[in-house]
Amino acid sequence: MNNKENIEKLYTSGDLPDDGLISLITIMDKEDEELIYSYAREVREKYYGKEVYLRGLIEFSNYCKNDCKYCGIRRSNENASRYRLSTEEILECCDKGYALGFRTFVLQSGEDLFYTNEKICDIVSRIKANHPDCAVTLSIGEKTREEYQAYFDAGADRYLLREETSNPIHYGKLHPPELSIKNRKQCLYDLKDIGYQVGCGIMVGSPYQTPENIVEDLRFMQDLKPHMIGIGPFIHHKDTPFRDMPDGTLKDTLHLLAILRLMFPHILLPATTALGTIHPLGRELGIKAGANVVMPNLSPRGVRGKYLLYDGKICTGDEAAECRSCMERRIASTGYQVVVSRGDYRA
């Protein structure tokens, strides 16, 4: 089949053979792009209308015990300026975010052992007590099933854990030997089984990635059936072993966003900060390619420039209110609208 036929089949059936997916991943002309983006918008509007959901991102620690080769907060990066937020500082971020209309808070950090099981549960339960109409999302890495259960019991609603790649060999090229894709996947299945709304995802254009790797990622996602899928382009960081590797591209990321929307019609799909970093209108273009979530930064201004997973990250200096109002205007320019809502997954 040619790509127009591939896109039509993906739109009508939600799937393609591997060779069809590889063709879409590697070869799309302008007409193909316009067709797949229009279908992606049609599908997301079928389930979510014109709504775009804001997630208030609170990056509460940039300490990490891991040494992933692509990440700017890897433990061996001695140039990183480390910080931790106190429980009170995190709660204050949520209070400010609530006043601005945020109804989901995403607590993200490196894998920082300072925040014990008890600390995380206390933070989650206090946020939920203060803002019972809000969702709490955690993005704090690999934990035991018992820890995930404790966070859930404390009130956590969602959990983001990007696998970055599903292929064991490729995974080994990106991560230190003590980390394994087998454990990463088990964490995702545990989270799903406990009852979380679960988010997975990959880097687009990561070092050594092949189109076949991406198809393997899509097949894993079909098996997991996540509620959220977060993808963004790989962007190098100067203080990592991948400092000289080429970055992922805007086009490849937008193509994959549209493919994901057609394969997973119901998912919550962010237009990520990384997408906005590689192009001034990256997030707007992501919305037009099928995304329906954006994640403005609610972290205190003083630490935003320190949570640098990659170089050139945007929105490290904006005040929360400015960032929120700016985002609302930018989303409106795409023909969609920011709404005050938890923005839950719609089955």
Side-chain angles (χ1 to χ4, degrees):
M1 291 190 293
N2 61 37
N3 264 355
K4 184 175 186 301
E5 292 170 329
N6 283 325
I7 293 167
E8 295 284 356
K9 183 174 182 185
L10 188 60
Y11 169 63
T12 55
S13 72
D15 203 1
L16 279 175
D18 289 2
D19 59 349
L21 289 170
I22 287 173
S23 181
L24 292 183
I25 289 165
T26 57
I27 311 164
M28 260 203 254
D29 62 24
K30 190 69 176 172
E31 286 187 9
D32 296 333
E33 289 176 347
E34 289 177 359
L35 181 63
I36 198 168
Y37 296 155
S38 67
Y39 281 152
R41 290 192 295 271
E42 181 182 324
V43 168
R44 63 92 78 204
E45 288 173 26
K46 178 179 178 181
Y47 297 103
Y48 292 99
K50 297 280 190 179
E51 295 181 357
V52 173
Y53 306 118
L54 296 182
R55 313 303 200 203
L57 181 61
I58 303 168
E59 297 162 331
F60 65 92
S61 169
N62 71 345
Y63 283 85
C64 190
K65 69 181 180 65
N66 295 331
D67 213 25
C68 303
K69 296 177 185 178
Y70 50 83
C71 185
I73 64 170
R74 64 199 307 261
R75 67 168 184 261
S76 63
N77 181 9
E78 296 178 356
N79 294 324
S81 177
R82 306 289 180 176
Y83 73 90
R84 293 183 174 110
L85 298 185
S86 68
T87 298
E88 295 307 320
E89 287 174 312
I90 295 169
L91 294 174
E92 185 179 347
C93 290
C94 293
D95 291 343
K96 288 180 178 178
Y98 190 87
L100 291 167
F102 290 89
R103 295 298 179 266
T104 289
F105 303 114
V106 180
L107 273 56
Q108 185 174 72
S109 70
E111 293 200 18
D112 184 357
L113 299 180
F114 171 83
Y115 295 91
T116 62
N117 194 40
E118 292 74 19
K119 278 190 172 75
I120 295 294
C121 289
D122 178 59
I123 291 166
V124 170
S125 62
R126 290 175 69 179
I127 293 171
K128 295 292 280 195
N130 292 344
H131 307 292
D133 56 333
C134 291
V136 173
T137 302
L138 296 177
S139 181
I140 56 177
E142 296 181 12
K143 305 291 182 180
T144 65
R145 183 185 175 108
E146 290 72 27
E147 287 172 312
Y148 289 146
Q149 184 68 58
Y151 308 153
F152 188 76
D153 293 344
D157 303 274
R158 307 177 186 140
Y159 205 102
L160 305 179
L161 185 68
R162 296 201 340 186
E163 71 277 17
E164 306 301 2
T165 176
S166 302
N167 180 273
I169 295 172
H170 187 215
Y171 193 90
K173 292 179 178 179
L174 305 180
H175 299 90
E178 63 267 22
L179 298 180
S180 75
I181 187 58
K182 181 180 179 182
N183 188 65
R184 197 83 168 177
K185 288 180 177 178
Q186 187 58 56
C187 287
L188 284 163
Y189 286 118
D190 286 345
L191 289 161
K192 188 98 184 293
D193 190 52
I194 288 168
Y196 284 92
Q197 291 184 40
V198 175
C200 65
I202 66 168
M203 286 183 292
V204 181
S206 61
Y208 315 111
Q209 185 184 64
T210 66
E212 289 78 13
N213 291 151
I214 297 176
V215 171
E216 189 172 347
D217 296 328
L218 293 171
R219 299 304 181 209
F220 166 67
M221 293 172 189
Q222 285 178 316
D223 186 66
L224 178 66
K225 298 179 179 60
H227 306 90
M228 304 166 280
I229 299 176
I231 68 165
F234 164 74
I235 304 175
H236 71 275
H237 189 289
K238 65 183 186 309
D239 297 319
T240 70
F242 290 160
R243 63 180 67 85
D244 297 321
M245 290 291 192
D247 294 340
T249 69
L250 174 74
K251 276 198 169 189
D252 287 345
T253 308
L254 294 176
H255 293 170
L256 193 54
L257 281 171
I259 290 168
L260 287 167
R261 176 56 69 194
L262 297 183
M263 291 183 71
F264 304 91
H266 301 267
I267 54 165
L268 295 159
L269 189 63
T272 61
T273 301
L275 196 56
T277 298
I278 60 169
H279 189 282
L281 297 176
R283 286 176 293 188
E284 289 92 325
L285 292 168
I287 296 294
K288 291 180 178 180
N292 63 336
V293 171
V294 287
M295 297 172 68
N297 202 326
L298 287 179
S299 306
R301 189 171 183 177
V303 304
R304 290 187 196 180
K306 298 179 181 180
Y307 197 88
L308 296 178
L309 308 183
Y310 50 81
D311 286 344
K313 181 181 173 184
I314 58 171
C315 289
T316 56
D318 297 335
E319 293 289 357
E322 294 169 359
C323 196
R324 198 251 189 244
S325 58
C326 171
M327 185 63 64
E328 192 160 352
R329 290 193 302 272
R330 296 180 73 152
I331 297 303
S333 74
T334 68
Y336 292 89
Q337 62 181 15
V338 167
V339 294
V340 176
S341 168
R342 281 173 43 124
D344 285 301
Y345 175 83
R346 296 180 183 173

